[in-house]
Amino acid sequence: MLSIGVLALQGAFREHINMLERCGAKASALRLPPDPEAPLGGLDRFDGIVLPGGESTAIGRLLNVWKLMEPLRKCAFSGKPIYGSCAGLILLCRDITGPDGQPSDQPRIGALHACVRRNAFGRQIDSFETTLNIKGVADDLNAVFIRAPVITSADPDVQILAEVEAGGSSCPVAVRQEKLLATSFHPELTNDGRLHSYFLEMCR
């Protein structure tokens, strides 16, 4: 059975844990400070890691406070499978801009070779659901967008799995770069486990 660590500092981590367990994995809340004597700060015990949604700036600060940022960064750059949803996507990206397009200096892991714009669709009231065709996953996956980001640019090694219309153009909202998976939306808030199953296959 695969063992998945779900970052549990803020956000919908319980929903991710429930979905992963429904898909047949052992999922554990990850919030303790790292073990300096263990490889990757002890994160080596997980087959994969999930970074949930929430407030990306707050999560980034907490990662630094709890000294988890560097172990997670080492995991990401060493090839351990990591899935980030919404705020998790933002944390994974190399470059981050605010809703106005201005660069942000907020803490990040920075392993995903892409630039992301926060709150690209507007405020909480502008949240929405839509059906997406996600390459390799499903052609009818229900996606929940809540104050969601979008990828504004990406290097050639980033595979675009799904896009939506934003600001008059088509923007990536699901991407994969080797063992990194990231989505703008929240699959854990639906009853559809196909995206989590796809991530688990990445972890095998």
Side-chain angles (χ1 to χ4, degrees), residues 16 22 25 47-48 109 113 131 152 164 204:
H16 274 293
R22 279 181 50 195
D47 298 300
I109 293 168
H113 301 158
T131 301
T152 55
V164 298
R204 294 191 192 282

Side-chain angles (χ1 to χ4, degrees), residues 119 121-129 145-148:
N119 297 352
F121 298 98
R123 298 175 299 170
Q124 188 90 5
I125 196 172
D126 300 307
S127 301
F128 65 97
E129 295 185 32
F145 290 80
I146 302 173
R147 297 183 65 198

Side-chain angles (χ1 to χ4, degrees), residues 129-159:
E129 295 185 32
T130 190
T131 301
L132 294 179
N133 180 357
I134 304 179
K135 295 176 184 177
V137 180
D139 60 4
D140 59 349
L141 192 129
N142 186 44
V144 178
F145 290 80
I146 302 173
R147 297 183 65 198
V150 296
I151 299 288
T152 55
S153 63
D155 288 0
D157 59 340
V158 178
Q159 180 185 9

